Amino acid sequence: HFWAAQQGREALKVDWDPGAGAALDTAALLAEYRKLAAADGKVAATAGDAPGTLAKAGKVVDVEYVLPYLAHAPMEPLNATVRIGADGCDIWTGTQMQTMEQMTAAAITGLKPEQVRIHTTFLGGGFGRRATPSCDWVSEAVHVAQAAGTAVKTVWTREDDVRGGYYRPMVVHRIRAALGSDGLPQAWDHMVVCQSVLAGSPFEAMIPKNGVDPASVEGAADSPYLKAIPNHRVQLQDHRAPVPVLWWRSVGHSHTAFAMECMVDELARAAGIDPVEYRRRLLADRPRLRAALDLAAAKAGWGSPLPAGRARGVAVHESFGSFVAQVAEVSVEGGRIRVHRVVCAIDCGIAVNPATIEAQMESGIAFGLGAALSSAITFKDGRVQQSNFDDYRVLRLPDMPKVEVHIVPSR
């Protein structure tokens, strides 16, 4: 059983070769990223003359945003049961990438792909972790069953996944914007320093264009805000580090939305314009985003009085065919940020099952809040410093805000 197997593993004395990443350190890596952010990279989007406009501008806002490596931390640890017999190989697992795992298992066992049968079980959280091109935990389970000569269930511990898994990349955003006399941006120059999630995968040869991994810049290079700014440029520095990275719920949007929305807030503050009104002006030609923004602001009571010590923040973003706005009601208690209420408006087209849409938004808010407030993977001497939910914190029940989801009527 699992406990006996774990005790056996703990008893092993293994002499590990620490490999190429033995000196990996988060602080040193961040210093490298900041140097890259100050240099030129590969252009992902451009119009007009952003650098020239900034050089002559009277009012410039210059901001850096740093986002850490993140684990997926699904509630169900990675596991697979494999049985190899005369008629083929059966695999029971919760997975997001069945075809790759079928091909990988066939290569390991010497069987034809059609002799490998994947039985997809319900999975206790995936978020991209169970869509790994290397098929790491499934291929491991196939090797174990092959060596054992019998059906075997292989289970990763929480520590296995936190310390030896795949991560959302660490990212640095450096954004400079010039404000015109009306307070709106006349120029936007944006550098993204990020490790490509496609590097080393079978998709690397197919998807990147001109050296730009779209998963690193999506939500920034194609941002609707930039369409309204005559001079803009988005560049990418694709940094390669010895850290395995993977798509993480919402992929590039998980960091670009944060950077874009924070910067828009900085500009609204510098211009002295209400942040909802500022977004309305920038999104004048984006009716679906504006409709979501207006609905969220109205349902949250934007502009109405709040209890002492509380404030509201707003964000709006377009991703994967959905247009979402959210208003958060926030306070600072004992030096910690506390989110009390989140009002969400979403236009995802025709709402076939409103309850599923609500559930998706509620879970996304919980997942995002945990990442924003407490989650981070850091490295020291080549090792992940976190291990379990005691030091890799996801959102706890007492921290979950009241969430209201409103679906924009849409065709």
Side-chain angles (χ1 to χ4, degrees):
H1 50 68
F2 174 80
W3 178 248
Q6 185 183 31
Q7 293 300 103
R9 188 181 73 167
E10 294 300 318
L12 288 172
K13 304 298 181 187
V14 182
D15 182 18
W16 294 103
D17 176 356
L24 190 71
D25 180 274
T26 298
L29 201 56
L30 179 56
E32 287 181 40
Y33 274 47
R34 285 180 165 145
K35 284 183 183 178
L36 290 170
D40 284 335
K42 293 174 180 173
V43 176
T46 186
D49 181 9
T53 306
L54 279 159
K56 296 180 288 186
K59 194 168 189 178
V60 174
V61 179
D62 188 341
V63 183
E64 175 193 84
Y65 300 106
V66 178
L67 294 98
Y69 286 104
L70 292 173
H72 300 75
M75 193 56 64
E76 178 193 6
L78 298 168
N79 65 91
T81 297
V82 178
R83 181 180 63 199
I84 303 170
D87 63 337
C89 173
D90 288 276
I91 300 172
W92 290 267
T93 191
T95 174
Q96 298 170 264
M97 200 171 271
Q98 291 89 343
T99 302
M100 291 287 289
E101 275 142 11
Q102 183 185 49
M103 293 167 59
T104 300
I108 293 169
T109 58
L111 296 167
K112 297 177 182 178
E114 57 268 27
Q115 291 178 285
V116 177
R117 296 172 289 272
I118 305 285
H119 306 274
T120 306
T121 62
F122 289 121
L123 51 84
F127 321 122
R129 180 61 183 94
R130 300 180 197 270
T132 315
S134 67
C135 308
D136 55 339
W137 86 96
V138 173
S139 61
E140 179 183 64
V142 173
H143 279 297
V144 170
Q146 192 176 45
T150 188
V152 177
K153 181 178 183 179
T154 300
V155 183
W156 284 36
T157 65
R158 176 69 55 199
E159 290 79 6
D160 289 338
D161 192 36
V162 171
R163 288 181 169 160
Y166 287 74
Y167 308 100
R168 198 285 303 272
M170 184 175 85
V171 192
V172 168
H173 288 262
R174 168 87 186 279
I175 310 174
R176 296 185 302 139
L179 296 184
S181 57
D182 58 358
L184 297 181
Q186 297 301 303
W188 180 293
D189 203 13
H190 191 154
M191 173 61 76
V192 182
V193 185
C194 182
Q195 199 176 334
S196 169
V197 297
L198 299 178
S201 79
F203 306 106
E204 185 176 15
M206 297 179 281
I207 298 176
K209 296 178 181 177
N210 301 319
V212 175
D213 178 355
S216 297
V217 294
E218 60 186 5
D222 56 352
S223 169
Y225 290 127
L226 298 193
K227 306 301 182 187
I229 302 172
N231 305 285
H232 65 259
R233 181 177 67 168
V234 178
Q235 298 182 89
L236 173 67
Q237 289 276 14
D238 183 5
H239 185 272
R240 300 296 170 99
V243 179
V245 292
L246 188 64
W247 29 73
W248 183 96
R249 191 172 181 168
S250 79
V251 198
H253 295 273
S254 70
H255 55 86
T256 58
F258 175 84
M260 297 298 296
E261 288 303 296
C262 287
M263 187 61 174
V264 170
D265 275 341
E266 296 279 1
L267 299 181
R269 183 178 179 85
I273 301 173
D274 174 85
V276 169
E277 177 57 29
Y278 198 79
R279 285 170 170 80
R280 284 188 180 126
R281 296 182 192 181
L282 286 177
L283 300 171
D285 297 327
R286 298 286 172 156
R288 295 182 72 181
L289 279 171
R290 279 192 51 149
L293 175 63
D294 290 343
L295 181 59
K299 294 294 185 181
W302 186 269
S304 63
L306 280 165
R310 290 198 186 185
R312 293 186 183 99
V314 63
V316 57
H317 192 72
E318 174 186 342
S319 170
F320 298 106
S322 289
F323 303 79
V324 179
Q326 297 187 8
V327 175
E329 191 174 309
V330 184
S331 68
V332 179
E333 299 176 356
R336 293 184 66 244
I337 296 169
R338 172 70 196 236
V339 180
H340 301 273
R341 178 187 181 212
V342 175
V343 177
C344 169
I346 175 170
D347 173 356
C348 57
I350 297 171
V352 176
N353 188 339
T356 294
I357 296 168
E358 286 186 38
Q360 279 289 301
M361 301 317 294
E362 290 165 351
S363 62
I365 287 164
F367 205 79
L369 276 177
L373 297 176
S374 57
S375 301
I377 291 289
T378 57
F379 294 86
K380 186 74 176 173
D381 299 325
R383 294 171 181 252
V384 175
Q385 294 183 285
Q386 292 71 35
S387 62
N388 208 314
F389 287 133
D390 59 329
D391 50 15
Y392 184 82
R393 287 182 63 95
V394 296
L395 199 71
R396 305 288 177 93
L397 279 173
D399 299 322
M400 183 65 189
K402 178 184 178 183
V403 176
E404 303 165 30
V405 178
H406 302 277
I407 299 171
V408 180
S410 175
R411 297 184 60 80

